[in-house]
Amino acid sequence: MIRFHRVNKHYGLFHVLKNIDLSIEEKEVVVVIGPSGSGKSTLLRCINRLETISDGELTVDNVKIHDKSTDINKLRRNIGMVFQHFNLYPHMTVLDNITLAPIKALGVPKREAEETAMSYLDKVGIPDKAKSYPSQLSGGQQQRVAIARGLAMKPRIMLFDEPTSALDPEMIGEVLDVMRDLAHQGMTMVVVTHEMGFAREVADRVVFMDQGRILEESQPAEFFAKPREERAQLFLSRLL
Ligand code: ADP
Ligand code: MG
């Protein structure tokens, strides 16, 4: 569903992604880990073309996403993204935050968009917050709204960039629970996270990045039992 083939990316003179080869199947959950600055966010952001690549090929559903002819809006509709900072509109209610894009970008009638939004709020466990404003919610609740907002576009792929890193510890679990459910329902997911318990339990594959390269790609059981790469071993030992 997502395929990087010899992808390189530079920020000016800085070579941030180095010869990336990575294929992600439909319904697969891939967790990307690695030290800060290793290129994890950049890798994710290339998938929905928030960043351009310098060379190589990147396809989503066999569409070359960096072709001039590719309809970027259509591509992005199929790819939901959840960030570390929830990026909700502060002046809009939870319901309006979730229905905005379906109404504006997909032309869904308001009533229908609201029904869909409510079903996703239900799914993330906060149907009672529909009329609240983001500032009235906890961080964990705001992040669950952000996930519901992503899902409301009915994407085929969800990208998560450290979705729990800005949360107080007691709220991390509720967000990971929602992500776990989503994985079990068959969503294709690419997740950058430092939550190793989640990676171990939910990931089909763990990708370890360091200095712009993918150093290791393995099954979680194998990876956590004994990473092959010394740098991965060091990274894990520092997390414990
Ligand atoms: P990670 O998510 O693994 O921490 P990033 O993908 O955010 O890594 O960043 C990788 C490297 O690229 C870092 O050294 C960062 O400073 C650099 N970088 C990220 N975004 C930009 C940018 N827009 N311009 C220049 N350098 C950037
Ligand atoms: Mg990052």
PDB file of all heavy atoms in Angstrom, residues 94-111:
ATOM      1  N   VAL A  94     -15.792  20.509  19.501  1.00  0.00           N
ATOM      2  CA  VAL A  94     -15.281  19.196  19.108  1.00  0.00           C
ATOM      3  C   VAL A  94     -15.996  18.711  17.842  1.00  0.00           C
ATOM      4  O   VAL A  94     -15.376  18.282  16.868  1.00  0.00           O
ATOM      5  CB  VAL A  94     -15.482  18.200  20.278  1.00  0.00           C
ATOM      6  CG1 VAL A  94     -15.380  16.767  19.820  1.00  0.00           C
ATOM      7  CG2 VAL A  94     -14.456  18.502  21.378  1.00  0.00           C
ATOM      8  N   LEU A  95     -17.315  18.826  17.847  1.00  0.00           N
ATOM      9  CA  LEU A  95     -18.098  18.347  16.702  1.00  0.00           C
ATOM     10  C   LEU A  95     -17.711  19.108  15.429  1.00  0.00           C
ATOM     11  O   LEU A  95     -17.522  18.503  14.368  1.00  0.00           O
ATOM     12  CB  LEU A  95     -19.593  18.508  16.999  1.00  0.00           C
ATOM     13  CG  LEU A  95     -20.533  17.731  16.076  1.00  0.00           C
ATOM     14  CD1 LEU A  95     -20.340  16.221  16.233  1.00  0.00           C
ATOM     15  CD2 LEU A  95     -21.991  18.100  16.369  1.00  0.00           C
ATOM     16  N   ASP A  96     -17.570  20.426  15.548  1.00  0.00           N
ATOM     17  CA  ASP A  96     -17.213  21.226  14.372  1.00  0.00           C
ATOM     18  C   ASP A  96     -15.791  20.918  13.897  1.00  0.00           C
ATOM     19  O   ASP A  96     -15.515  20.929  12.697  1.00  0.00           O
ATOM     20  CB  ASP A  96     -17.362  22.730  14.673  1.00  0.00           C
ATOM     21  CG  ASP A  96     -18.828  23.127  14.795  1.00  0.00           C
ATOM     22  OD1 ASP A  96     -19.695  22.365  14.322  1.00  0.00           O
ATOM     23  OD2 ASP A  96     -19.108  24.197  15.385  1.00  0.00           O
ATOM     24  N   ASN A  97     -14.884  20.666  14.849  1.00  0.00           N
ATOM     25  CA  ASN A  97     -13.538  20.268  14.460  1.00  0.00           C
ATOM     26  C   ASN A  97     -13.563  19.011  13.598  1.00  0.00           C
ATOM     27  O   ASN A  97     -12.818  18.896  12.634  1.00  0.00           O
ATOM     28  CB  ASN A  97     -12.685  19.987  15.707  1.00  0.00           C
ATOM     29  CG  ASN A  97     -11.827  21.172  16.121  1.00  0.00           C
ATOM     30  OD1 ASN A  97     -10.789  21.435  15.526  1.00  0.00           O
ATOM     31  ND2 ASN A  97     -12.291  21.894  17.129  1.00  0.00           N
ATOM     32  N   ILE A  98     -14.428  18.080  13.967  1.00  0.00           N
ATOM     33  CA  ILE A  98     -14.449  16.795  13.260  1.00  0.00           C
ATOM     34  C   ILE A  98     -15.193  16.888  11.928  1.00  0.00           C
ATOM     35  O   ILE A  98     -14.815  16.240  10.961  1.00  0.00           O
ATOM     36  CB  ILE A  98     -15.077  15.700  14.153  1.00  0.00           C
ATOM     37  CG1 ILE A  98     -14.241  15.547  15.439  1.00  0.00           C
ATOM     38  CG2 ILE A  98     -15.153  14.364  13.423  1.00  0.00           C
ATOM     39  CD1 ILE A  98     -14.869  14.613  16.456  1.00  0.00           C
ATOM     40  N   THR A  99     -16.229  17.730  11.866  1.00  0.00           N
ATOM     41  CA  THR A  99     -17.049  17.756  10.642  1.00  0.00           C
ATOM     42  C   THR A  99     -16.515  18.730   9.588  1.00  0.00           C
ATOM     43  O   THR A  99     -16.922  18.659   8.429  1.00  0.00           O
ATOM     44  CB  THR A  99     -18.513  18.151  10.954  1.00  0.00           C
ATOM     45  OG1 THR A  99     -18.514  19.419  11.617  1.00  0.00           O
ATOM     46  CG2 THR A  99     -19.192  17.110  11.821  1.00  0.00           C
ATOM     47  N   LEU A 100     -15.602  19.608   9.998  1.00  0.00           N
ATOM     48  CA  LEU A 100     -15.134  20.651   9.069  1.00  0.00           C
ATOM     49  C   LEU A 100     -14.633  20.081   7.730  1.00  0.00           C
ATOM     50  O   LEU A 100     -15.123  20.469   6.668  1.00  0.00           O
ATOM     51  CB  LEU A 100     -14.020  21.471   9.739  1.00  0.00           C
ATOM     52  CG  LEU A 100     -13.468  22.621   8.877  1.00  0.00           C
ATOM     53  CD1 LEU A 100     -14.506  23.728   8.754  1.00  0.00           C
ATOM     54  CD2 LEU A 100     -12.181  23.180   9.484  1.00  0.00           C
ATOM     55  N   ALA A 101     -13.673  19.167   7.807  1.00  0.00           N
ATOM     56  CA  ALA A 101     -13.078  18.671   6.561  1.00  0.00           C
ATOM     57  C   ALA A 101     -14.063  17.831   5.739  1.00  0.00           C
ATOM     58  O   ALA A 101     -14.156  18.014   4.523  1.00  0.00           O
ATOM     59  CB  ALA A 101     -11.800  17.891   6.849  1.00  0.00           C
ATOM     60  N   PRO A 102     -14.821  16.921   6.366  1.00  0.00           N
ATOM     61  CA  PRO A 102     -15.798  16.171   5.553  1.00  0.00           C
ATOM     62  C   PRO A 102     -16.785  17.102   4.837  1.00  0.00           C
ATOM     63  O   PRO A 102     -17.118  16.870   3.670  1.00  0.00           O
ATOM     64  CB  PRO A 102     -16.513  15.284   6.584  1.00  0.00           C
ATOM     65  CG  PRO A 102     -15.502  15.087   7.663  1.00  0.00           C
ATOM     66  CD  PRO A 102     -14.728  16.381   7.732  1.00  0.00           C
ATOM     67  N   ILE A 103     -17.223  18.173   5.507  1.00  0.00           N
ATOM     68  CA  ILE A 103     -18.179  19.093   4.878  1.00  0.00           C
ATOM     69  C   ILE A 103     -17.486  19.902   3.778  1.00  0.00           C
ATOM     70  O   ILE A 103     -17.954  19.964   2.642  1.00  0.00           O
ATOM     71  CB  ILE A 103     -18.810  20.035   5.931  1.00  0.00           C
ATOM     72  CG1 ILE A 103     -19.726  19.236   6.871  1.00  0.00           C
ATOM     73  CG2 ILE A 103     -19.600  21.157   5.252  1.00  0.00           C
ATOM     74  CD1 ILE A 103     -20.251  20.029   8.077  1.00  0.00           C
ATOM     75  N   LYS A 104     -16.315  20.469   4.120  1.00  0.00           N
ATOM     76  CA  LYS A 104     -15.641  21.363   3.157  1.00  0.00           C
ATOM     77  C   LYS A 104     -14.957  20.600   2.025  1.00  0.00           C
ATOM     78  O   LYS A 104     -15.013  21.007   0.875  1.00  0.00           O
ATOM     79  CB  LYS A 104     -14.576  22.212   3.876  1.00  0.00           C
ATOM     80  CG  LYS A 104     -15.140  23.161   4.910  1.00  0.00           C
ATOM     81  CD  LYS A 104     -15.628  24.456   4.278  1.00  0.00           C
ATOM     82  CE  LYS A 104     -16.088  25.427   5.353  1.00  0.00           C
ATOM     83  NZ  LYS A 104     -17.241  26.230   4.968  1.00  0.00           N
ATOM     84  N   ALA A 105     -14.267  19.522   2.374  1.00  0.00           N
ATOM     85  CA  ALA A 105     -13.436  18.854   1.367  1.00  0.00           C
ATOM     86  C   ALA A 105     -14.179  17.740   0.636  1.00  0.00           C
ATOM     87  O   ALA A 105     -13.915  17.475  -0.534  1.00  0.00           O
ATOM     88  CB  ALA A 105     -12.172  18.297   2.009  1.00  0.00           C
ATOM     89  N   LEU A 106     -15.109  17.083   1.325  1.00  0.00           N
ATOM     90  CA  LEU A 106     -15.810  15.965   0.679  1.00  0.00           C
ATOM     91  C   LEU A 106     -17.230  16.333   0.265  1.00  0.00           C
ATOM     92  O   LEU A 106     -17.892  15.572  -0.430  1.00  0.00           O
ATOM     93  CB  LEU A 106     -15.869  14.747   1.623  1.00  0.00           C
ATOM     94  CG  LEU A 106     -14.550  14.145   2.115  1.00  0.00           C
ATOM     95  CD1 LEU A 106     -14.823  12.931   2.991  1.00  0.00           C
ATOM     96  CD2 LEU A 106     -13.657  13.760   0.947  1.00  0.00           C
ATOM     97  N   GLY A 107     -17.706  17.491   0.753  1.00  0.00           N
ATOM     98  CA  GLY A 107     -19.064  17.907   0.409  1.00  0.00           C
ATOM     99  C   GLY A 107     -20.145  17.070   1.074  1.00  0.00           C
ATOM    100  O   GLY A 107     -21.275  16.967   0.581  1.00  0.00           O
ATOM    101  N   VAL A 108     -19.814  16.484   2.206  1.00  0.00           N
ATOM    102  CA  VAL A 108     -20.806  15.686   2.936  1.00  0.00           C
ATOM    103  C   VAL A 108     -21.829  16.652   3.568  1.00  0.00           C
ATOM    104  O   VAL A 108     -21.443  17.670   4.136  1.00  0.00           O
ATOM    105  CB  VAL A 108     -20.108  14.868   4.055  1.00  0.00           C
ATOM    106  CG1 VAL A 108     -21.118  14.090   4.888  1.00  0.00           C
ATOM    107  CG2 VAL A 108     -19.058  13.933   3.464  1.00  0.00           C
ATOM    108  N   PRO A 109     -23.128  16.341   3.453  1.00  0.00           N
ATOM    109  CA  PRO A 109     -24.129  17.199   4.094  1.00  0.00           C
ATOM    110  C   PRO A 109     -23.903  17.265   5.603  1.00  0.00           C
ATOM    111  O   PRO A 109     -23.481  16.278   6.216  1.00  0.00           O
ATOM    112  CB  PRO A 109     -25.456  16.497   3.785  1.00  0.00           C
ATOM    113  CG  PRO A 109     -25.178  15.597   2.635  1.00  0.00           C
ATOM    114  CD  PRO A 109     -23.723  15.217   2.728  1.00  0.00           C
ATOM    115  N   LYS A 110     -24.205  18.434   6.193  1.00  0.00           N
ATOM    116  CA  LYS A 110     -23.885  18.679   7.607  1.00  0.00           C
ATOM    117  C   LYS A 110     -24.449  17.604   8.533  1.00  0.00           C
ATOM    118  O   LYS A 110     -23.749  17.057   9.383  1.00  0.00           O
ATOM    119  CB  LYS A 110     -24.420  20.058   8.002  1.00  0.00           C
ATOM    120  CG  LYS A 110     -24.005  20.503   9.383  1.00  0.00           C
ATOM    121  CD  LYS A 110     -24.227  22.000   9.571  1.00  0.00           C
ATOM    122  CE  LYS A 110     -23.550  22.485  10.829  1.00  0.00           C
ATOM    123  NZ  LYS A 110     -24.412  22.839  11.917  1.00  0.00           N
ATOM    124  N   ARG A 111     -25.719  17.307   8.356  1.00  0.00           N
ATOM    125  CA  ARG A 111     -26.390  16.329   9.226  1.00  0.00           C
ATOM    126  C   ARG A 111     -25.659  14.976   9.203  1.00  0.00           C
ATOM    127  O   ARG A 111     -25.370  14.378  10.231  1.00  0.00           O
ATOM    128  CB  ARG A 111     -27.845  16.180   8.760  1.00  0.00           C
ATOM    129  CG  ARG A 111     -28.618  15.052   9.420  1.00  0.00           C
ATOM    130  CD  ARG A 111     -29.017  15.357  10.838  1.00  0.00           C
ATOM    131  NE  ARG A 111     -30.002  16.421  10.893  1.00  0.00           N
ATOM    132  CZ  ARG A 111     -31.320  16.259  10.698  1.00  0.00           C
ATOM    133  NH1 ARG A 111     -31.799  15.073  10.445  1.00  0.00           N
ATOM    134  NH2 ARG A 111     -32.152  17.279  10.765  1.00  0.00           N
TER     135      ARG A 111
END
